[in-house]
Amino acid sequence: MSVYKAEYIWIDGTEPTAKLRSKGKVVPVGEEPPIWGFDGSSTNQAPGEASDCVLRPVFTCPDPIRGGDNILVMCEVLLPDMTPHPSNTRAACAAAAEQYAGLDFWFGIEQEYTFFTGVRSQPLGWPDNGFPAPQGGYYCGVGSDEVFGRPVVEDHLDACIDAGLQIAGINAEVMPAQWEFQIGPIGAPAVGDHLWVARWLLYRIGERHNVAATLDPKPVEGDWNGAGAHTNFSTNAMREDYDACIAAAEALKGNHEEHIANYGDRIERRLTGLHETASYEEFKYGVSDRGASVRIPWQVARDGKGYIEDRRPNANCDPYKVTELIINTVGGAAS
Ligand code: ADP
Ligand code: MN
Ligand code: MN
Ligand code: MN
């Protein structure tokens, strides 16, 4: 009997920021990856005396690590009665997308992250004592004195492409050892599925290079940029009409606190009003404004249609939660 390997990936119950877990299953060729389970008492998802949690596959793709016919299986976590587990944020995201399917939301999420060395636990390429030169030359930089970790970034980009993920690009970021990749444009909850798998691939490829990627929103205190997950989005109306883009920004303004509360742990450390952010305590939007909560790209203002960028989400946000909130806030105001 011939078989393939299916790596089941899920989101655990770690507070305040969930982690990814995965385990491998050998499946006979010709069979779909089945519903499976795990020990929820080891992932902060169940008590020891009733530890079983259910893994239901929601998205599969080729496994670029193992190659061949092997696959990655993104799962949602269910209780044994097959209802969503409290840690399952995908179910509500899928419901919101279903409710507002007529608006045809698209999302493009810019995932920023920082490399740390495995042993010393400091940003990759930073000196043992003191700090690198101040920010200025690192963003989209080139050269061994400017960028740190490019081999990992290139391996990760290839892996995302080989997996068939909707990856849009990569770039080196403002803080040395900080990078970004973008997923999208694609609908929800698919953007969350692809982003969580891309995060898993980043960590998994980091193992090969002995480099740890972190989504810490403020990995180094002081005059160093934090890490965000700018969430670009559009509806069918926004893609046709500038007024709909403004209406979406106004809708977000009306629900600022709820979004901030769900955009990632320690968001107040990152959204200080400095380092290309608006303070978490205010909401403002503007054309080309990287100090705003929401930026309207200049091409969108010129063309009179397109999309807007919610710059508030942290790198450590849950994309299912972020997209669910945007769909409900913007969709609710539009209908
Ligand atoms: P930035 O200039 O902020 O660095 P990026 O180029 O990193 O922007 O990311 C822009 C993201 O917006 C990409 O992921 C892209 O796929 C996405 N995007 C482009 N057009 C749309 C659209 N109409 N709706 C939603 N997302 C879009
Ligand atoms: Mn970007
Ligand atoms: Mn960026
Ligand atoms: Mn951006």
Coordinates of all heavy atoms in Angstrom, one line a residue, residues 110 171 180 182, ligand 2:
E110 N 0.1 42.3 5.2 CA 1.6 42.5 5.2 C 2.1 42.0 6.5 O 2.0 42.7 7.5 CB 2.0 44.0 5.0 CG 1.4 44.6 3.8 CD 1.5 46.1 3.8 OE1 2.7 46.6 4.1 OE2 0.6 46.9 3.7
N171 N 9.9 41.9 1.6 CA 10.9 43.0 1.6 C 11.6 43.1 3.0 O 11.0 42.7 4.0 CB 10.3 44.4 1.3 CG 9.2 44.8 2.2 OD1 8.0 44.5 2.0 ND2 9.6 45.6 3.3
E180 N 9.4 41.4 5.9 CA 7.9 41.3 5.7 C 7.6 40.4 4.5 O 8.4 40.3 3.6 CB 7.4 42.7 5.3 CG 6.0 42.8 4.8 CD 5.6 44.2 4.5 OE1 5.8 45.1 5.3 OE2 5.0 44.4 3.4
Q182 N 3.9 39.4 2.1 CA 2.5 39.8 2.0 C 1.7 38.6 1.4 O 2.1 37.9 0.5 CB 2.3 41.0 1.0 CG 3.1 42.2 1.4 CD 4.4 42.4 0.6 OE1 4.5 41.9 -0.5 NE2 5.4 43.0 1.2
Ligands
MN2 MN 4.5 46.5 2.8

